[in-house]
Each structure stands twice: as structure tokens, then as C-alpha cells.
Amino acid sequence: MNNESNSYFSVKHRFSAYLSPWPENQPLPSESELKGMLPLGLQLISEVKAMEASCLLQLRNLDDEARTVVDYLKLQSRKIDLVLQYVLEQQPNEGDKYIGQQFGGSGIQIIGDTQLEIGKHYRVTLHIKDVLLSILCIAQCISSTPMSGSGNQQTSFESALEFSQILDEDIEQLVKASLNVQQKQLQQRKKDNQTKSS
């Protein structure tokens, strides 16, 4: 587990987050306890991702002729990820649903109808569909402020949470996912600028 939080890059991107308050009289879970809290679907995705990362690392050492095989295996891996993600989305999630706005290896920023309590810990399940990533962690609210609305609309709150207990491999996946999303955003921006200038 990694608690050196404030040093990670984060990226603006939409995702789903499910939060439930962590009991105040209960200590935060250890790494093994956090692993034990994972629902079966999250355990499957975590194991598949770990195996995939290990295999792809070995395949990188192959010569150019093997690139076709590597690309094919990546495609098969993506299909498995998509199926697992679909199965996971069909399962009920614990807690209230929030719309994620920003994520990285240090924490998340979310929007919801409820103001979170600053300093309170929450059990958080994240589903970042575009990068096929789902994780469970414990996070602490560091800010929760009303968003400016117009007229008699219901007030929404923008909240920032910092990870308190999260598996090291999940931090690694979040960092990779944030860089992946940023790269796609930069490519899209470049494409948009080329379209405007032509």
C-alpha cells in the first residue's frame, strides 16, 4: 500500500464512483483486509490485469516479426477486459453514485447531490470505463463545496478525495490510465486544431 499521495499527476475525465462512509469507530483496513473486501468481479479484473502486464512485458522483447502476434494478443486481452467490465457493471455497487470529474494516483474529484464531510473516510469503488479500470479503495474527503447553479436548480457539490488506503498495483494502474487518457486528449486536440486550420 502506498500513502505518499500528493505527488501524482491527475487528468480531467468522466467516470463513475460509488461512495459509502467508512465507520468512524473502525480502523482503516490493512492491505490484506482491503484485498479481502474486493467483490469477485474486481478480483477477476485485478488478476487478469496482473497476468496481462506480466505477459506483455515479456512479449516486448520479441523481434518485429512477432509484432502481429503481440497485436493479436492485445486484441484478445481487450475483449476479455470488455466482457469483465460489462459483467462488473451489471453487479450492484455499494454506496451512492457520484460522477467522477478527475482522477490520478493521489485521489479523485467527484460531483454529487450530497456534500461530503471534510476529514471523513469513505469506501470508494471506481469504474473508469474508457480505460477498463475498476478499483476499490478508502479515501478521505479533503474538500466539498457547492457548485454555482442557476435559478432553483438543486445544488450539486464538487468534492475532492485523497486516497488513504489503496493497493500499490491500483495506484500503478491509475497512473498509467491517467497518462493514457492525457495522451488521447492531446491527440484529439491536435486533430481538432488540424481540422480548424484546414
Coordinates of all heavy atoms in Angstrom, one line a residue, residues 26-76:
Q26 N -14.1 2.2 13.3 CA -13.4 1.1 12.7 C -12.1 1.6 12.1 O -12.1 2.5 11.3 CB -14.3 0.5 11.7 CG -13.9 -0.9 11.1 CD -14.9 -1.5 10.2 OE1 -16.1 -1.2 10.3 NE2 -14.4 -2.2 9.2
P27 N -11.0 0.9 12.4 CA -9.7 1.3 11.8 C -9.7 1.1 10.3 O -10.5 0.2 9.8 CB -8.7 0.5 12.5 CG -9.4 -0.7 13.1 CD -10.8 -0.2 13.3
L28 N -8.9 1.8 9.6 CA -8.8 1.6 8.2 C -8.2 0.2 7.9 O -7.4 -0.3 8.7 CB -7.9 2.7 7.5 CG -8.4 4.1 7.6 CD1 -7.4 5.0 6.9 CD2 -9.8 4.2 7.0
P29 N -8.6 -0.4 6.8 CA -8.2 -1.8 6.6 C -6.7 -1.9 6.2 O -6.1 -1.0 5.6 CB -9.1 -2.3 5.4 CG -9.4 -1.0 4.7 CD -9.5 0.1 5.8
S30 N -6.1 -3.0 6.5 CA -4.7 -3.3 6.1 C -4.8 -3.7 4.6 O -5.9 -3.8 4.0 CB -4.1 -4.4 6.9 OG -4.8 -5.6 6.6
E31 N -3.6 -3.9 4.0 CA -3.6 -4.3 2.6 C -4.3 -5.6 2.4 O -5.1 -5.7 1.4 CB -2.1 -4.4 2.1 CG -2.0 -4.7 0.6 CD -0.6 -4.6 0.1 OE1 0.3 -4.1 0.8 OE2 -0.4 -4.9 -1.1
S32 N -4.1 -6.6 3.2 CA -4.7 -7.9 3.1 C -6.2 -7.8 3.3 O -7.0 -8.4 2.6 CB -4.1 -8.9 4.0 OG -4.2 -8.6 5.3
E33 N -6.6 -6.9 4.3 CA -8.1 -6.7 4.5 C -8.7 -6.0 3.3 O -9.8 -6.4 3.0 CB -8.3 -5.9 5.8 CG -7.9 -6.7 7.1 CD -7.9 -5.8 8.3 OE1 -7.7 -4.6 8.2 OE2 -8.0 -6.3 9.4
L34 N -8.0 -5.1 2.7 CA -8.6 -4.4 1.6 C -8.7 -5.4 0.4 O -9.8 -5.4 -0.3 CB -7.6 -3.2 1.2 CG -8.2 -2.3 0.1 CD1 -9.5 -1.6 0.5 CD2 -7.1 -1.2 -0.3
K35 N -7.7 -6.2 0.2 CA -7.9 -7.3 -0.8 C -9.1 -8.2 -0.6 O -9.8 -8.6 -1.5 CB -6.6 -8.1 -0.9 CG -5.5 -7.4 -1.7 CD -4.2 -8.3 -1.8 CE -3.1 -7.6 -2.6 NZ -1.9 -8.4 -2.7
G36 N -9.3 -8.5 0.7 CA -10.4 -9.4 1.1 C -11.7 -8.7 0.9 O -12.7 -9.4 0.8
M37 N -11.8 -7.4 0.8 CA -13.0 -6.7 0.6 C -13.4 -6.6 -0.8 O -14.6 -6.3 -1.2 CB -12.9 -5.2 1.1 CG -12.8 -5.1 2.6 SD -12.2 -3.4 3.1 CE -13.4 -2.3 2.3
L38 N -12.5 -7.0 -1.7 CA -12.8 -6.9 -3.2 C -13.9 -7.9 -3.6 O -13.9 -9.0 -3.3 CB -11.6 -7.2 -4.0 CG -10.4 -6.3 -4.0 CD1 -9.2 -6.9 -4.8 CD2 -10.8 -4.9 -4.6
P39 N -15.0 -7.4 -4.3 CA -16.0 -8.3 -4.8 C -15.4 -9.2 -5.9 O -14.3 -8.8 -6.4 CB -17.0 -7.3 -5.4 CG -16.7 -5.9 -5.0 CD -15.3 -6.0 -4.6
L40 N -16.0 -10.3 -6.2 CA -15.5 -11.3 -7.1 C -15.1 -10.6 -8.4 O -14.0 -10.9 -9.0 CB -16.5 -12.4 -7.3 CG -16.0 -13.5 -8.2 CD1 -14.7 -14.2 -7.7 CD2 -17.1 -14.6 -8.4
G41 N -16.0 -9.8 -9.0 CA -15.7 -9.1 -10.3 C -14.4 -8.3 -10.3 O -13.6 -8.4 -11.2
L42 N -14.2 -7.6 -9.2 CA -13.0 -6.8 -9.1 C -11.8 -7.6 -8.9 O -10.7 -7.3 -9.4 CB -13.1 -5.8 -7.9 CG -13.9 -4.5 -8.1 CD1 -13.9 -3.7 -6.8 CD2 -13.3 -3.7 -9.2
Q43 N -11.9 -8.8 -8.2 CA -10.8 -9.7 -8.0 C -10.4 -10.3 -9.4 O -9.2 -10.4 -9.7 CB -11.2 -10.9 -7.1 CG -11.3 -10.5 -5.6 CD -11.7 -11.7 -4.8 OE1 -11.5 -12.8 -5.1 NE2 -12.4 -11.4 -3.7
L44 N -11.4 -10.6 -10.2 CA -11.1 -11.2 -11.5 C -10.4 -10.2 -12.4 O -9.4 -10.5 -13.0 CB -12.4 -11.6 -12.2 CG -13.1 -12.9 -11.8 CD1 -14.4 -13.1 -12.4 CD2 -12.2 -14.1 -12.1
I45 N -10.9 -8.9 -12.4 CA -10.2 -7.9 -13.2 C -8.8 -7.7 -12.8 O -7.9 -7.5 -13.6 CB -11.1 -6.6 -13.2 CG1 -12.3 -6.7 -14.2 CG2 -10.2 -5.4 -13.7 CD1 -13.0 -5.5 -14.4
S46 N -8.6 -7.6 -11.5 CA -7.3 -7.4 -10.9 C -6.3 -8.5 -11.3 O -5.2 -8.2 -11.7 CB -7.4 -7.3 -9.4 OG -6.2 -7.0 -8.8
E47 N -6.8 -9.7 -11.2 CA -5.9 -10.9 -11.6 C -5.6 -10.9 -13.1 O -4.4 -11.1 -13.5 CB -6.6 -12.2 -11.2 CG -6.5 -12.4 -9.7 CD -7.3 -13.7 -9.3 OE1 -7.4 -14.6 -10.1 OE2 -7.8 -13.7 -8.1
V48 N -6.6 -10.6 -13.9 CA -6.4 -10.6 -15.3 C -5.4 -9.5 -15.7 O -4.5 -9.7 -16.5 CB -7.7 -10.4 -16.1 CG1 -7.5 -10.0 -17.5 CG2 -8.6 -11.7 -16.0
K49 N -5.6 -8.3 -15.1 CA -4.7 -7.2 -15.4 C -3.2 -7.5 -15.0 O -2.3 -7.2 -15.7 CB -5.1 -5.9 -14.7 CG -6.4 -5.3 -15.2 CD -6.1 -4.4 -16.4 CE -7.4 -3.6 -16.8 NZ -7.2 -3.0 -18.0
A50 N -3.0 -8.2 -13.9 CA -1.7 -8.5 -13.4 C -1.0 -9.5 -14.4 O 0.1 -9.4 -14.7 CB -1.8 -9.1 -12.0
M51 N -1.8 -10.5 -14.8 CA -1.3 -11.5 -15.7 C -0.9 -10.9 -17.0 O 0.1 -11.2 -17.6 CB -2.3 -12.7 -15.9 CG -2.4 -13.6 -14.7 SD -3.4 -15.0 -15.0 CE -5.1 -14.3 -15.1
E52 N -1.8 -10.0 -17.5 CA -1.6 -9.3 -18.8 C -0.4 -8.5 -18.8 O 0.4 -8.5 -19.7 CB -2.9 -8.5 -19.0 CG -2.8 -7.6 -20.3 CD -4.1 -6.7 -20.3 OE1 -5.2 -7.2 -20.5 OE2 -3.9 -5.5 -20.2
A53 N -0.2 -7.7 -17.7 CA 1.0 -6.9 -17.6 C 2.3 -7.7 -17.6 O 3.3 -7.3 -18.3 CB 0.9 -6.0 -16.3
S54 N 2.3 -8.8 -16.9 CA 3.5 -9.7 -16.9 C 3.8 -10.3 -18.3 O 4.9 -10.3 -18.7 CB 3.2 -10.8 -15.9 OG 4.2 -11.8 -16.0
C55 N 2.7 -10.7 -19.0 CA 2.9 -11.3 -20.3 C 3.4 -10.3 -21.3 O 4.3 -10.5 -22.1 CB 1.7 -12.0 -20.8 SG 1.3 -13.5 -19.9
L56 N 2.8 -9.1 -21.3 CA 3.1 -8.1 -22.3 C 4.5 -7.6 -22.1 O 5.2 -7.3 -23.1 CB 2.1 -6.9 -22.2 CG 0.7 -7.2 -22.8 CD1 -0.2 -6.0 -22.5 CD2 0.8 -7.6 -24.2
L57 N 5.0 -7.6 -20.8 CA 6.4 -7.2 -20.6 C 7.4 -8.2 -21.2 O 8.3 -7.7 -21.8 CB 6.6 -7.2 -19.0 CG 7.8 -6.5 -18.5 CD1 7.8 -5.0 -18.9 CD2 7.9 -6.6 -17.0
Q58 N 7.1 -9.5 -21.2 CA 7.9 -10.5 -21.8 C 7.8 -10.4 -23.3 O 8.8 -10.6 -24.0 CB 7.5 -11.9 -21.3 CG 7.8 -12.1 -19.8 CD 7.2 -13.4 -19.3 OE1 6.9 -14.3 -20.1 NE2 6.9 -13.4 -18.0
L59 N 6.6 -10.1 -23.8 CA 6.4 -10.1 -25.3 C 7.2 -8.9 -25.9 O 7.5 -8.9 -27.1 CB 4.9 -10.0 -25.6 CG 4.2 -11.3 -25.4 CD1 2.7 -11.0 -25.5 CD2 4.6 -12.4 -26.3
R60 N 7.4 -7.8 -25.2 CA 8.1 -6.6 -25.7 C 9.5 -7.0 -26.2 O 10.1 -6.3 -27.0 CB 8.2 -5.5 -24.7 CG 6.9 -4.8 -24.5 CD 7.1 -3.5 -23.7 NE 5.7 -3.0 -23.4 CZ 5.3 -2.6 -22.2 NH1 6.1 -2.7 -21.2 NH2 4.1 -2.1 -22.1
N61 N 10.1 -8.0 -25.7 CA 11.4 -8.4 -26.0 C 11.5 -9.2 -27.4 O 12.6 -9.5 -27.8 CB 12.1 -9.2 -24.9 CG 12.2 -8.4 -23.6 OD1 12.4 -7.2 -23.7 ND2 12.0 -9.1 -22.5
L62 N 10.4 -9.5 -27.9 CA 10.3 -10.2 -29.2 C 10.7 -9.3 -30.4 O 10.5 -8.1 -30.3 CB 9.0 -10.9 -29.4 CG 8.5 -11.9 -28.4 CD1 7.1 -12.4 -28.7 CD2 9.5 -13.1 -28.4
D63 N 11.2 -9.9 -31.5 CA 11.5 -9.1 -32.6 C 10.3 -8.6 -33.4 O 9.2 -8.9 -33.1 CB 12.5 -9.9 -33.5 CG 11.9 -11.2 -34.0 OD1 10.6 -11.3 -34.0 OD2 12.6 -12.1 -34.4
D64 N 10.6 -7.8 -34.5 CA 9.5 -7.2 -35.2 C 8.5 -8.2 -35.9 O 7.4 -7.9 -36.1 CB 10.1 -6.3 -36.3 CG 10.7 -5.0 -35.7 OD1 10.3 -4.7 -34.5 OD2 11.5 -4.4 -36.3
E65 N 9.0 -9.4 -36.2 CA 8.2 -10.4 -36.9 C 7.1 -10.8 -35.9 O 6.1 -11.3 -36.4 CB 9.0 -11.5 -37.4 CG 10.0 -11.2 -38.5 CD 10.8 -12.3 -38.9 OE1 10.6 -13.5 -38.5 OE2 11.8 -12.1 -39.7
A66 N 7.3 -10.8 -34.6 CA 6.4 -11.2 -33.7 C 5.3 -10.1 -33.3 O 4.4 -10.4 -32.6 CB 7.1 -11.7 -32.4
R67 N 5.5 -8.9 -33.9 CA 4.5 -7.8 -33.6 C 3.1 -8.2 -33.9 O 2.2 -7.8 -33.2 CB 4.9 -6.6 -34.4 CG 6.2 -5.9 -33.9 CD 5.9 -5.0 -32.7 NE 7.1 -4.6 -32.1 CZ 7.3 -4.6 -30.8 NH1 6.4 -4.9 -30.0 NH2 8.5 -4.2 -30.3
T68 N 2.9 -8.9 -35.0 CA 1.5 -9.3 -35.4 C 0.9 -10.2 -34.3 O -0.3 -10.0 -33.9 CB 1.5 -10.1 -36.7 OG1 2.2 -9.3 -37.6 CG2 0.1 -10.3 -37.2
V69 N 1.7 -11.1 -33.7 CA 1.2 -11.9 -32.6 C 0.9 -11.1 -31.4 O -0.2 -11.3 -30.7 CB 2.2 -13.0 -32.3 CG1 1.7 -13.9 -31.1 CG2 2.4 -13.9 -33.5
V70 N 1.8 -10.2 -31.1 CA 1.6 -9.3 -29.9 C 0.3 -8.5 -30.1 O -0.5 -8.4 -29.2 CB 2.8 -8.4 -29.7 CG1 2.5 -7.3 -28.7 CG2 4.0 -9.2 -29.4
D71 N 0.1 -7.9 -31.3 CA -1.1 -7.1 -31.5 C -2.4 -7.9 -31.4 O -3.4 -7.5 -30.8 CB -1.0 -6.4 -32.9 CG 0.0 -5.3 -33.0 OD1 0.4 -4.9 -31.9 OD2 0.4 -5.0 -34.1
Y72 N -2.3 -9.2 -31.9 CA -3.4 -10.1 -31.8 C -3.7 -10.4 -30.3 O -4.9 -10.4 -29.9 CB -3.2 -11.4 -32.6 CG -4.3 -12.4 -32.4 CD1 -5.5 -12.2 -33.1 CD2 -4.1 -13.5 -31.6 CE1 -6.5 -13.1 -33.0 CE2 -5.2 -14.4 -31.5 CZ -6.4 -14.2 -32.1 OH -7.4 -15.1 -32.0
L73 N -2.7 -10.7 -29.5 CA -2.9 -11.0 -28.1 C -3.4 -9.8 -27.4 O -4.3 -9.9 -26.5 CB -1.6 -11.4 -27.5 CG -1.1 -12.8 -28.0 CD1 0.3 -13.1 -27.4 CD2 -2.1 -13.9 -27.6
K74 N -3.0 -8.6 -27.7 CA -3.6 -7.4 -27.1 C -5.0 -7.2 -27.4 O -5.8 -6.8 -26.5 CB -2.8 -6.1 -27.6 CG -1.5 -5.9 -27.0 CD -0.8 -4.6 -27.5 CE 0.5 -4.4 -26.9 NZ 1.2 -3.2 -27.4
L75 N -5.4 -7.6 -28.6 CA -6.8 -7.5 -29.0 C -7.7 -8.5 -28.2 O -8.7 -8.2 -27.7 CB -7.0 -7.8 -30.5 CG -8.4 -7.9 -31.1 CD1 -9.1 -6.6 -30.9 CD2 -8.4 -8.4 -32.5
Q76 N -7.1 -9.7 -28.0 CA -7.8 -10.8 -27.2 C -8.0 -10.3 -25.8 O -9.0 -10.5 -25.2 CB -7.1 -12.1 -27.3 CG -7.0 -12.7 -28.7 CD -8.4 -12.8 -29.3 OE1 -9.3 -13.4 -28.7 NE2 -8.6 -12.3 -30.5

